[in-house]
Amino acid sequence: MIWLRSNHGREVSYADIAADAGGKDGARLRRAVKVVCVIAANRGDRLEGFQPSADPTRRDSARRRVWTTRYMREGHGDEFSARDAMSAARAAMTSVKDMHRATTYEAANPHSIARQEFATMAQAADECITKVAGLDKVGSQVVRPAC
């Protein structure tokens, strides 16, 4: 856990973590990082999901971008936290759109076991999509214009 405090807000790869901890990069380290993620969440902190490094100079031997994470203390954030949040928001909206498609289909299916319930869920998903579609009023920092 010491490597967390010393690396607040910085990108760290598995190799960096192994070097700080004095161990090897392997399956055991990867399991330990999952445990640390849970511990950080329990403390109110956050360990971002591993993503390709935002730094174009960080490359591995095959010239691929290195996968890194960031540890953020509770109440702290930066542009990369926003990137992580936007990624989660996009994934959530994809799920809502899938839910809307599936529930609309089942609500219209005469052989469905619960047409009314699916119609209610489809309406809720539609309202969610409509509400989120209005986010362009929030500002260009949050939602990029299409053109």
Side-chain angles (χ1 to χ4, degrees):
M1 288 286 288
I2 290 175
W3 64 267
L4 288 178
R5 284 188 212 103
S6 64
N7 287 307
H8 168 71
R10 288 185 31 225
E11 286 186 340
V12 290
S13 66
Y14 281 116
D16 297 334
I17 296 167
D20 286 351
K24 296 188 297 188
D25 180 4
R28 190 171 178 190
L29 175 67
R30 292 168 195 273
R31 283 193 307 271
V33 168
K34 288 179 184 176
V35 171
V36 169
C37 184
V38 172
I39 293 169
N42 288 338
R43 291 175 38 180
D45 301 338
R46 187 167 60 86
L47 191 64
E48 293 180 349
F50 276 82
Q51 301 179 54
S53 173
D55 182 359
T57 62
R58 287 196 77 167
R59 304 276 178 175
D60 65 8
S61 59
R63 304 292 304 148
R64 295 176 303 224
R65 290 190 338 190
V66 173
W67 286 77
T68 59
T69 185
R70 288 177 177 272
Y71 169 72
M72 302 304 290
R73 288 189 205 111
E74 181 182 15
H76 290 70
D78 64 0
E79 69 210 64
F80 298 101
S81 298
R83 179 184 72 170
D84 197 36
M86 288 301 286
S87 175
R90 284 187 199 100
M93 282 311 300
T94 299
S95 294
V96 170
K97 288 177 182 177
D98 288 346
M99 174 189 165
H100 182 260
R101 179 194 47 76
T103 53
T104 301
Y105 174 82
E106 280 300 316
N109 182 356
H111 303 293
S112 177
I113 59 171
R115 289 180 72 184
Q116 185 59 43
E117 289 80 359
F118 282 119
T120 303
M121 287 188 280
Q123 182 181 0
D126 185 50
E127 289 172 6
C128 178
I129 292 168
T130 303
K131 184 73 168 179
V132 172
L135 282 181
D136 58 340
K137 297 178 182 85
V138 174
S140 62
Q141 289 284 352
V142 178
V143 180
R144 288 188 210 118
C147 298

